[in-house]
Amino acid sequence: MGTVDALLLGLLQGLTEFLPVSSSGHLVLLGRILGTEIGDDTTFAVLVHAATVLATITVFWGEIVRLVRGGLTFRVNAESRYLLRLGVSMVPILIVGLFFKERVEALFGSGVRFVGSMLLVTAGLLLLTHFIRVKKVRNISVRDAFVIGLAQAVAVIPGISRSGSTIATGMLLGDDRGQLAKFSFLMVLVPILGEAFLELLKGEFSPAASGISAYALAAGFLSAYLSGLFACRVMIRIVSRGRLWWFALYCAVAGSVAIILG
């Protein structure tokens, strides 16, 4: 993987991690175009995911500090209740990671047509939010958090957008749009950090053994971080307005092209 390839893949990871168009699906598609299978390189994958985590922390730094401080009081308050909902939302993805990881990884070799068909599923889910609008808006409950967590677990399939599925599910449940983007992005922090920590323990994260130059790794990390910052802030504004149908149109076109040319 050259520096330009790493730059493009990092840019794509940063944008698609937050925008509802499936980062995993796009990385598979672009990897095929560039002749680089990112899924086969754990080091680079962990690095660009770490960059998007850092982007999330940067955007929500004040909120994260407030939640941690409130949670450390060990009292029932607004912060501890929010942390509880975040914890509940992580249960489904934890189960998938513990018991179905090998099956999920096998899906990344399912081919471009499979990714295209899953992009069409993402398009359909996003389009539902345009036609189905819940009049009575409510705060995210513990039950809603678990359902949104189920959507996140399904989104491990390449082509199913994580942010798209979680945000769209919350909108269809009638949750406050102003809360959904923040909740969707915060709920993925611990799973990604946990997975990265496990890779470190297993010794699979090794820049030296990856065969990728330090310049390429740095370019991939920096481009993923900067594009992630931009996409995260943009997505917060888009969700607050409830306009996801443009992304539905994009996913439908991208999925159709992938199926036809797959």
Side-chain angles (χ1 to χ4, degrees):
M1 183 187 299
T3 302
V4 175
D5 291 347
L7 187 69
L8 291 174
L9 288 169
L11 179 66
L12 189 68
Q13 169 66 28
L15 290 174
T16 57
E17 180 66 30
F18 297 99
L19 300 180
V21 293
S22 177
S23 61
S24 59
H26 277 71
L27 288 176
V28 170
L29 296 177
L30 184 61
R32 294 293 176 87
I33 294 172
L34 298 177
T36 301
E37 298 295 338
I38 187 174
D40 295 336
D41 198 312
T42 302
T43 297
F44 187 81
V46 170
L47 200 66
V48 293
H49 276 94
T52 56
V53 167
L54 183 59
T56 305
I57 293 174
T58 302
V59 173
F60 295 109
W61 175 251
E63 181 70 15
I64 292 172
V65 171
R66 184 182 68 81
L67 289 173
V68 171
R69 285 178 177 174
L72 290 177
T73 61
F74 300 102
R75 298 175 182 175
V76 178
N77 51 34
E79 290 77 18
S80 63
R81 286 193 292 268
Y82 195 89
L83 289 172
L84 172 63
R85 294 194 291 271
L86 285 175
V88 169
S89 73
M90 298 174 193
V91 172
I93 195 67
L94 176 63
I95 294 174
V96 170
L98 289 176
F99 301 105
F100 303 101
K101 184 177 181 180
E102 292 183 359
R103 294 185 181 182
V104 170
E105 291 175 345
L107 292 174
F108 282 83
S110 300
V112 172
R113 288 182 177 176
F114 177 80
V115 172
S117 64
M118 293 301 101
L119 281 171
L120 293 182
V121 173
T122 296
L125 182 59
L126 294 176
L127 201 58
L128 282 177
T129 64
H130 180 70
F131 292 105
I132 302 176
R133 293 181 178 271
V134 181
K135 294 182 179 180
K136 187 177 180 180
V137 179
R138 63 189 183 190
N139 293 326
I140 301 172
S141 65
V142 174
R143 180 186 69 88
D144 291 352
F146 183 75
V147 175
I148 294 172
L150 290 175
Q152 176 171 254
V154 173
V156 298
I157 301 173
I160 301 292
S161 168
R162 193 206 65 82
S163 64
S165 61
T166 54
I167 291 172
T169 298
M171 291 175 67
L172 293 173
L173 289 171
D175 293 323
D176 181 24
R177 294 197 300 264
Q179 299 180 23
L180 277 173
K182 179 180 71 174
F183 189 84
S184 173
F185 298 149
L186 290 178
M187 66 187 282
V188 76
L189 287 181
V190 173
I192 291 181
L193 290 173
E195 183 178 5
F197 180 70
L198 290 176
E199 299 296 347
L200 288 173
L201 291 179
K202 291 188 294 185
E204 295 187 13
F205 180 81
S206 175
S210 68
I212 305 175
S213 69
Y215 293 109
L217 290 173
F221 180 88
L222 187 61
S223 63
Y225 172 70
L226 294 177
S227 60
L229 278 178
F230 169 78
C232 184
R233 292 191 171 111
V234 168
M235 195 60 193
I236 292 172
R237 292 196 294 269
I238 291 174
V239 173
S240 64
R241 298 171 183 171
R243 298 177 180 176
L244 300 181
W245 70 273
W246 282 104
F247 296 104
L249 179 61
Y250 170 81
C251 288
V253 172
S256 299
V257 171
I259 292 172
I260 293 171
L261 301 181

